[in-house]
Amino acid sequence: MNAQLALDVEQISFSYGQTEALKQASLQVSAGSFVALLGANGAGKTTLFSIVTGLYSPKQGSVLVNGHGLRTDTMSALASMGVVFQRSTVDMDLSVLQNLRYAADLQGIPRADAKLRIHAGIEQHGLSGLEKRKIGALSGGQRRRVELARALLHRPTLLLLDEPTVGLDLQSRSEFVSHVKSLCTDEGTGVLWATHLMDELDTDDDVYILDHGQVIEQGTVSELTQTHGVEDISAVFNKLVGSKVS
């Protein structure tokens, strides 16, 4: 395996009863890269995330996180990743600081080290001045930044985000996407970003298109638009999948 891969998913298949949700799906995320997983609702994005995070066990295939096998070296693989789920998982009745302290305790980060990491995370993710504010009083974009700060407390090499901007206004979405992409360039974090929102992507972003559980196309946005002779990634998606997403 390439030591520079933050995530290497090979030939993953998974079924819910008789319904095949993933069919030999493969993808890679290099260290310091932003990779988008595109697909309409029901395409298999969340199932793939559930497998990579260890919630489901595939009937076929393998997952390596920073070189650690998810099946053979589970603890090291899980310790190498941070996750922001589609649905918010922060405690709305606790403050920003309380949520981050609680997460640090769960992750076994020593108190002195946790204090430094939490302070750095609050600064890095634009949460200064909000430390004592309850999550329920924050905007949608601010809540997402708290979840991002929490996901990065243990300094993972891989960050997974499942539809993280759903429900945010356009400006909040744009700011959050830019912030996450800065982690790739500044911290060397590998990011897998599942979305159905095409306007979140830049021309040099790597893309995997998932349809009915299968990866049907892969490449950078500019490569795919050129290959398929269209103007933007939305047109590529519509041409391949045959339906529009928004």
Side-chain angles (χ1 to χ4, degrees):
M1 175 193 163
N2 184 342
Q4 295 301 307
L5 288 180
L7 176 64
D8 188 12
V9 175
E10 291 291 343
Q11 299 292 302
I12 288 292
S13 295
F14 185 85
S15 297
Y16 298 99
Q18 298 300 313
T19 303
E20 199 168 17
L22 290 174
K23 307 170 186 178
Q24 297 184 328
S26 299
L27 62 81
Q28 296 179 332
V29 179
S30 298
S33 69
F34 181 94
V35 176
L37 180 63
L38 296 183
N41 292 332
K45 303 189 302 296
T46 298
T47 299
L48 180 60
F49 268 53
S50 296
I51 289 172
V52 172
T53 55
L55 296 177
Y56 298 160
S57 180
K59 67 179 182 180
Q60 175 184 324
S62 64
V63 177
L64 294 175
V65 182
N66 198 33
H68 303 291
L70 190 58
R71 287 179 177 172
T72 58
D73 193 4
T74 305
M75 294 303 292
S76 295
L78 294 178
S80 297
M81 70 174 76
V83 187
V84 176
F85 293 102
Q86 183 174 354
R87 292 188 177 183
S88 179
T89 56
V90 286
D91 192 318
M92 296 293 180
D93 294 324
L94 297 181
S95 69
V96 171
L97 193 55
Q98 288 171 327
N99 268 279
L100 294 178
R101 284 174 176 169
Y102 181 59
D105 285 343
L106 288 178
Q107 293 165 1
I109 302 172
R111 286 292 178 92
D113 194 15
K115 184 177 181 180
L116 294 175
R117 294 190 191 188
I118 289 170
H119 176 74
I122 285 172
E123 290 286 331
Q124 181 182 16
H125 302 297
L127 297 168
S128 297
L130 302 175
E131 295 90 339
K132 296 182 179 180
R133 190 172 300 180
K134 288 186 178 181
I135 299 297
L138 301 180
S139 68
Q142 289 168 337
R143 291 177 193 173
R144 276 311 198 190
R145 285 177 176 256
V146 174
E147 292 187 274
L148 185 59
R150 183 183 61 176
L152 295 170
L153 277 177
H154 61 295
R155 297 174 179 168
T157 55
L158 171 68
L159 181 62
L160 307 171
L161 302 103
D162 186 11
E163 301 278 5
T165 60
V166 169
L168 300 184
D169 61 68
L170 186 60
Q171 181 176 344
S172 295
R173 283 205 295 123
S174 178
E175 291 174 351
F176 190 74
V177 174
S178 296
H179 183 60
V180 170
K181 287 183 176 181
S182 73
L183 298 174
C184 299
T185 55
D186 298 342
E187 307 291 336
T189 307
V191 170
L192 180 61
W193 178 283
T195 188
H196 65 275
L197 301 170
M198 309 293 172
D199 60 347
E200 295 178 347
L201 306 183
D202 295 323
T203 57
D204 58 347
D205 288 337
D206 289 310
V207 173
Y208 287 82
I209 297 178
L210 191 67
D211 183 43
H212 291 91
Q214 293 182 296
V215 175
I216 60 172
E217 187 62 283
Q218 183 266 328
T220 66
V221 170
S222 59
E223 289 171 347
L224 295 181
T225 53
Q226 183 175 2
T227 297
H228 292 278
V230 294
E231 292 185 358
D232 55 38
I233 192 64
S234 294
V236 173
F237 187 93
N238 295 337
K239 180 178 180 180
L240 293 173
V241 177
S243 62
K244 216 171 197 180
V245 294
S246 60

